[in-house]
Amino acid sequence: MAFPLPSPMRRALDLAREAGEAGEVPVGAVITRGDVVVAEARNAMRGSCDPTAHAEMVAIRAAGTALGTSRLDDCTIWVSLEPCAMCAAALSVARLQALRFAAEDPKGGGVVHGPRIFAQPTCHHRPEVIGGLGEEESSALLRSFFESRR
């Protein structure tokens, strides 16, 4: 029996779809504090000419501004794709309490694949991590996006 996705993950997937429609790699992110959405973003690297404008990075910046702090220790980030090493390191520095992601990223992931940032002894903060929420939908978005470019 399939369970409905939590609303922040549903929104992250919707943002990922919007990113894909705008020509960006389809990734979306939502940051919540309790049940309140603090920030949301989608990939914006091509449109902003900023290689660091991954959905997670844009959402972290917006959440810090909205909350007036660089520490997001009582917040959860919901992402449609496993964060890369850059984004995983930013999640740690921002002290996010939890990470929820949809699809794993065997090629570019930095949490359960690749450098596994949170497993490194130099990582000072490790959020609680749960993956696989909406994995099929996220994977289908990514497959479709990249197939249309081949």
Side-chain angles (χ1 to χ4, degrees):
M1 178 169 118
F3 294 98
L5 286 176
S7 59
M9 184 57 78
R10 164 65 25 232
R11 180 64 181 143
L13 289 164
D14 290 344
L15 288 162
R17 186 170 289 102
E18 290 175 19
E21 291 168 358
E24 302 278 356
V25 174
V27 179
V30 173
I31 296 179
T32 58
R33 178 193 252 175
D35 292 333
V36 176
V37 172
V38 175
E40 60 180 40
R42 61 177 180 78
N43 269 1
M45 296 169 294
R46 295 183 76 179
S48 66
C49 300
D50 178 356
T52 70
H54 292 198
E56 301 95 320
M57 300 295 282
V58 176
I60 288 169
R61 290 179 193 125
T65 299
L67 297 173
T69 182
S70 63
R71 296 242 172 156
L72 305 175
D73 50 8
D74 55 353
C75 295
T76 298
I77 189 165
W78 306 77
V79 188
S80 63
L81 182 65
E82 174 188 352
C84 71
M86 173 183 71
C87 293
L91 297 177
S92 177
V93 171
R95 304 289 198 266
L96 278 135
Q97 175 183 356
L99 162 64
R100 306 291 184 254
F101 68 88
E104 291 185 5
D105 185 356
K107 288 184 180 180
V111 176
V112 297
H113 295 94
R116 297 184 170 123
I117 296 297
F118 304 140
Q120 299 305 313
T122 55
C123 182
H124 297 294
H125 174 77
R126 294 164 180 85
E128 174 194 17
V129 177
I130 297 176
L133 304 171
E135 181 174 16
E136 288 180 27
E137 184 175 345
S138 178
S139 294
L141 280 171
L142 289 156
R143 255 191 320 277
S144 175
F145 178 81
F146 287 112
E147 284 173 0
S148 72
R149 278 146 181 78
R150 289 187 185 125

